[in-house]
Amino acid sequence: MEKKNTVGHTAALITILIWGTTFISTKILLNDFTPIEILFFRFVIGFIALMMIYPYRLKVTNKKHEIIFASAGLCGVTLYYLLENIALTFTMASNVGVISSVVPFFTAILAYLFLKEEPLRINFFIGFVVAITGIYLISFNGASKFQLNPLGDLLAVTATLVWATYSVLTRKISGYGYHTIQLTRRIFFYGILFMMPAVLLFDFELELKRFTNPVSLFNILFLGLGASALCFITWNYAVKTLGTIKSSIYIYAVPVITVLTSIIVLHEQITYLATFGIVLTLSGLFISEKKLSSKKAKKIRV
């Protein structure tokens, strides 16, 4: 069991290391692609990759399972990424970074209300406050003030609620006993299916010649193969192994990875305040993960 948990933590860490760099790739692609185009291309690439890796057909044993798969595809693929991509066109990436880091809090609440399997403890809330403080300092590294963008920020908040719902759904799916790649592929299938109305309604052009640009090709392949195909498999495995709350806590590290990547790739400068924010964020992650003794642990009743 301990070995399985170690693999689960490793899977969650790998996922976050990759997801922490996706804001940069998305921002670059938004120069030549619309949000729906990025979303469609990355998940079609991811779906094809999963088909090639594990081509065996998924045999669903219960029709009710299809409803859960469809719901997961709608929430975790179509709505979440569409809302996030559109939010990035209306508000600053720093705003989206802070808001998206509230996902563990919403996930914990929904998991407690609907799954009844992971009690909320005081250390989770302490870690949440510490981590969010750190994330605030990181995301506004060098910024003179916090700038609200109501529409973009509201879309980002909605996206966090949608992802929290997806996490609860995948936890439920993990109990069905299906192969991780097969269930991930089925989620992608429904996600792409639900994208079709948006493809027709929003500004979408196929224009494959855009991929002759090496930068665009690299970033869309990175999002499709790495951030989608690989990361959804590792994330679904992490949720299955660790549970919704423990796995979602790793999302606190996304802004840390984003900042470190920006320093390495874009040669951006980091302030002492942001460095302190990184320390706080990682401390919050540790506090939230830390197991308290039965005498000190206090269950929070919602």
Side-chain angles (χ1 to χ4, degrees):
M1 183 55 133
E2 186 176 344
K3 183 178 180 181
K4 192 174 182 180
N5 284 340
T6 300
V7 176
H9 285 292
T10 302
L13 183 59
I14 290 172
T15 306
I16 294 307
L17 284 172
I18 295 176
W19 278 351
T21 64
T22 57
F23 279 113
I24 296 173
S25 289
T26 302
K27 269 292 189 182
I28 291 172
L29 287 171
L30 282 171
N31 292 322
D32 298 307
F33 296 83
T34 63
I36 186 60
E37 287 171 346
I38 297 172
L39 181 64
F40 178 79
F41 287 129
R42 70 176 281 186
F43 279 99
V44 166
I45 291 171
F47 181 80
I48 293 172
L50 294 180
M51 281 289 292
M52 294 174 65
I53 294 170
Y54 200 85
Y56 305 103
R57 181 174 173 270
L58 174 64
K59 297 179 181 179
V60 178
T61 57
N62 188 321
K63 290 184 179 180
K64 291 182 180 179
H65 293 178
E66 285 288 4
I67 298 175
I68 304 299
F69 277 122
S71 300
L74 176 64
C75 293
V77 176
T78 308
L79 291 180
Y80 174 73
Y81 284 100
L82 188 58
L83 288 168
E84 185 182 80
N85 288 355
I86 294 174
L88 284 169
T89 66
F90 286 103
T91 189
M92 296 183 295
S94 56
N95 288 41
V96 177
V98 169
I99 293 169
S100 65
S101 298
V102 184
V103 164
F105 181 77
F106 288 140
T107 301
I109 299 298
L110 292 181
Y112 180 81
L113 292 175
F114 295 103
L115 299 179
K116 304 293 185 182
E117 60 181 30
E118 298 180 63
L120 302 182
R121 301 184 185 280
I122 189 66
N123 63 305
F124 173 83
F125 292 97
I126 294 173
F128 171 76
V129 173
V130 173
I132 288 298
T133 302
I135 289 165
Y136 178 88
L137 297 177
I138 292 170
S139 296
F140 297 97
N141 175 32
S144 59
K145 62 179 180 178
F146 179 84
Q147 183 180 346
L148 289 174
N149 296 276
L151 179 57
D153 294 342
L154 180 60
L155 289 171
V157 170
T158 306
T160 63
L161 286 168
V162 168
W163 185 263
T165 303
Y166 169 75
S167 295
V168 172
L169 289 170
T170 52
R171 178 60 171 171
K172 195 172 183 64
I173 289 171
S174 68
Y176 296 158
Y178 299 117
H179 192 283
T180 303
I181 294 180
Q182 287 180 314
L183 68 86
T184 303
R185 193 176 66 219
R186 184 59 61 95
I187 290 172
F188 277 24
F189 168 77
Y190 280 112
I192 295 170
L193 186 65
F194 285 122
M195 273 181 223
M196 290 302 104
V199 167
L200 296 175
L201 292 174
F202 292 98
D203 186 17
F204 180 91
E205 293 181 14
L206 199 57
E207 276 193 63
L208 297 180
K209 65 180 181 181
R210 286 177 291 180
F211 295 115
T212 57
N213 180 342
V215 174
S216 296
L217 180 61
F218 171 79
N219 281 288
I220 201 67
L221 287 177
F222 171 72
L223 292 177
L225 300 178
S228 297
L230 174 62
C231 283
F232 268 73
I233 291 172
T234 53
W235 184 254
N236 289 343
Y237 180 83
V239 171
K240 178 181 179 180
T241 306
L242 305 176
T244 50
I245 296 177
K246 283 188 176 180
S247 55
S248 68
I249 287 170
Y250 276 91
I251 292 175
Y252 291 147
V254 168
V256 176
I257 304 302
T258 302
V259 168
L260 295 178
T261 304
S262 298
I263 294 171
I264 296 170
V265 178
L266 304 178
H267 306 292
E268 293 184 354
Q269 299 296 315
I270 184 171
T271 65
Y272 288 111
L273 198 62
T275 302
F276 180 57
I278 290 175
V279 174
L280 281 179
T281 302
L282 296 177
S283 298
L285 193 157
F286 175 77
I287 293 169
S288 294
E289 281 279 5
K290 185 176 177 59
K291 289 185 178 180
L292 302 179
S293 64
S294 57
K295 291 183 180 180
K296 293 182 179 180
K298 296 180 182 179
K299 293 183 179 180
I300 305 299
R301 299 299 178 184
V302 180

